[in-house]
Amino acid sequence: MSEGAIFAKKPELGLAQHKFAILNGTPEQSKNAMQKLVEGIKQDKMSAFYAKLVAEGVLQEDKALAKELEDASAAELAKLDSNVESAKEESGDLEQNESSIHRAVFLAQIGEDEKAHEAYEEVLKRPTTTLNQKLDIVFGKLRLAMFYHRSQIVEREITRAHDLVNKGGDWDRRNRLKAVECIWRCGQRQFKEASDLFIECLSTYASPELMSLTDFVCHGALACAIVMTRSDIKKKVIDAPEVVEVINYIPNVDKLLRSLYDCKYADFFVALAGVETDHLKVSRYLYAHRRYYTREMRIRSYAQLLESYLSLTIKSMADSFGVTEEFIDKELSRFVAAGRLHCVIDKVAGIVETNRPDTKNAQYQTTIKQGDILLNRIQKLSGIISV
């Protein structure tokens, strides 16, 4: 059905992001998010969601606003109930399912998540529900679970969506699923999976109901930065037309990618700090991984610099990153001890000597071992043949 895609647009995921920014952002970010959250609640008649936010202490109670939202949502729900009854009496199975799905979507929109879940499941179990309708329902349930960050339900609905898509879902729904899964994998610290999905659907991204292209590029580019090679970052991310189109709106992400590729490590550290403040600390998907992300990116930059030298002074390394020698000494000692960097620190001479893994020797030893196994098998086989 042509209008099926609208079913995945409520509740607005941006409102969950605004709530998160209120609790975790800077005072300015929190103030802006508060204004946008209240505007969104009014626009979508989110009576139940508003009551939850008041109970959680996120918003102060406004009794007049609460009554306004309750009256508006009750009136709209009564209209949708009437449409469902009319469809049962006057329309076919397709129209009956559509009207029931619209009702479930509205329940999700206003914050009645449990009732929405039950309504979705009721339509999903009908024998008359088409494949595309089932997909739209699953997308609706997936969105609802992402809104409230219910991980187990999200994983279950992603699996269910894949099963349905493989049975014949159209291109639009396949692409939307990739975009949704990309963002969710970012939130699960599965950056390799997220980066692959990002590259796959970037050129055909058409899911503004998930997030804007700018926000999608922000999350996807950060995932790519932590797992891709320098050459792939340049080819697949920095030079991608879709990234070029919006990258000016996320300058710290742009600076992070370019400084890493250009080996401008002082600029890289500044950009990484900006990324943490502007994105990691306020993204509901990346917040839990902010320390991991900044640590791994520092390790990556240290390893990238050390790859170019057999040895270098601690002072020159500190100068490259725009930090003190004490900071670099502490960082390197920590990561070397953890086995994350392959180098040796000579504190007396103030030198860092690289100690790269001997991959060629390891390959040689593996080849010898496999050769021995093969010879043993040949000897056994020849013995059997002789007998």
Side-chain angles (χ1 to χ4, degrees):
M1 61 192 188
S2 61
E3 61 177 340
I6 67 169
F7 294 146
K9 293 184 179 180
K10 301 295 178 181
E12 291 285 351
L13 291 177
L15 298 180
Q17 175 58 45
H18 294 326
K19 174 190 173 184
F20 190 85
I22 290 172
L23 300 174
N24 298 283
T26 63
E28 183 178 356
Q29 290 170 333
S30 179
K31 181 180 178 181
N32 292 335
M34 179 78 74
Q35 181 180 350
K36 292 177 181 178
L37 178 62
V38 173
E39 289 175 356
I41 288 172
K42 291 179 179 178
Q43 182 176 337
D44 281 352
K45 310 175 179 118
M46 301 180 74
S47 53
F49 184 58
Y50 177 76
K52 291 176 184 176
L53 294 181
V54 171
E56 293 172 4
V58 178
L59 297 178
Q60 292 184 346
E61 185 177 16
D62 181 333
K63 292 184 178 180
L65 175 59
K67 187 174 188 311
E68 177 186 335
L69 293 171
E70 288 171 3
D71 291 346
S73 61
E76 183 67 22
L77 191 58
K79 180 181 176 181
L80 290 168
D81 286 338
S82 176
N83 291 343
V84 170
E85 293 303 316
S86 296
K88 288 180 180 179
E89 298 174 1
E90 305 170 4
S91 304
D93 293 334
L94 183 67
E95 291 76 15
Q96 290 180 37
N97 292 340
E98 285 185 3
S99 62
S100 295
I101 294 173
H102 276 294
R103 181 180 181 277
V105 171
F106 184 73
L107 288 171
Q109 172 182 315
I110 63 177
E112 294 284 6
D113 52 306
E114 291 185 6
K115 291 181 180 179
H117 170 78
E118 293 172 0
Y120 276 134
E121 282 294 328
E122 189 274 325
V123 184
L124 196 61
K125 293 176 182 177
R126 294 178 187 175
T128 58
T129 305
T130 66
L131 176 63
N132 281 341
Q133 285 178 332
K134 288 180 179 179
L135 267 168
D136 290 327
I137 291 169
V138 170
F139 274 119
K141 293 189 65 186
L142 178 55
R143 188 177 187 84
L144 192 60
M146 289 180 71
F147 188 88
Y148 293 102
H149 210 83
R150 293 169 180 158
S151 300
Q152 291 184 343
I153 298 177
V154 172
E155 294 290 349
R156 185 185 70 202
E157 298 305 331
I158 285 177
T159 300
R160 184 186 274 184
H162 275 295
D163 291 341
L164 290 171
V165 163
N166 291 335
K167 291 179 181 178
D170 58 26
W171 173 87
D172 175 62
R173 290 173 175 83
R174 287 176 183 271
N175 206 52
R176 284 167 55 209
L177 179 57
K178 288 180 181 179
V180 169
E181 191 172 3
C182 169
I183 296 303
W184 183 251
R185 295 303 163 210
C186 285
Q188 302 304 298
R189 201 187 287 182
Q190 298 171 342
F191 293 119
K192 179 63 173 68
E193 294 84 348
S195 66
D196 291 341
L197 289 164
F198 174 71
I199 298 302
E200 285 181 29
C201 66
L202 175 60
S203 62
T204 53
Y205 183 75
S207 302
E209 75 282 354
L210 174 64
M211 58 178 57
S212 67
L213 176 60
T214 301
D215 288 339
F216 184 69
V217 167
C218 176
H219 286 77
L222 291 177
C224 292
I226 201 170
V227 297
M228 279 188 174
T229 62
R230 282 179 63 232
S231 59
D232 279 347
I233 288 175
K234 173 66 172 173
K235 179 182 177 182
K236 298 180 180 181
V237 184
I238 295 176
D239 291 341
E242 296 77 17
V243 174
V244 173
E245 180 183 343
V246 301
I247 199 67
N248 287 336
Y249 298 108
I250 41 177
N252 280 318
V253 176
D254 182 27
K255 190 175 181 180
L256 183 83
L257 296 172
R258 293 185 182 279
S259 59
L260 182 65
Y261 178 76
D262 294 333
C263 302
K264 296 180 179 179
Y265 300 111
D267 291 343
F268 172 81
F269 262 28
V270 173
L272 184 60
V275 164
E276 182 177 16
T277 301
D278 295 345
H279 304 294
L280 301 181
K281 285 187 175 180
V282 292
S283 167
R284 58 196 295 258
Y285 303 105
L286 298 175
Y287 178 83
H289 315 300
R290 64 195 186 283
R291 293 189 179 90
Y292 169 86
Y293 190 90
T294 54
R295 181 180 69 247
E296 292 301 310
M297 290 302 289
R298 295 200 312 275
I299 291 173
R300 172 165 193 172
S301 63
Y302 295 146
Q304 183 171 293
L305 174 62
L306 290 170
E307 281 178 3
S308 304
Y309 300 92
L310 290 174
S311 65
L312 72 164
T313 65
I314 294 177
K315 183 181 185 307
S316 66
M317 193 168 180
D319 291 342
S320 295
F321 284 93
V323 296
T324 65
E325 294 180 43
E326 291 77 13
F327 179 85
I328 282 292
D329 184 30
K330 183 178 179 181
E331 284 270 280
L332 294 184
S333 298
R334 172 188 173 194
F335 296 136
V336 169
R340 301 302 309 281
L341 291 174
H342 302 289
C343 62
V344 176
I345 305 171
D346 185 342
K347 292 189 178 182
V348 176
I351 292 174
V352 179
E353 297 180 353
T354 56
N355 182 22
R356 300 184 185 90
D358 190 350
T359 55
K360 288 186 178 180
N361 186 56
Q363 290 173 353
Y364 173 77
Q365 294 297 332
T366 300
T367 303
I368 293 297
K369 184 177 181 180
Q370 290 174 344
D372 288 340
I373 293 172
L374 179 60
L375 286 172
N376 288 334
R377 289 178 178 173
I378 292 173
Q379 289 174 353
K380 289 180 181 179
L381 181 61
S382 62
I384 293 173
I385 293 174
S386 298
V387 173

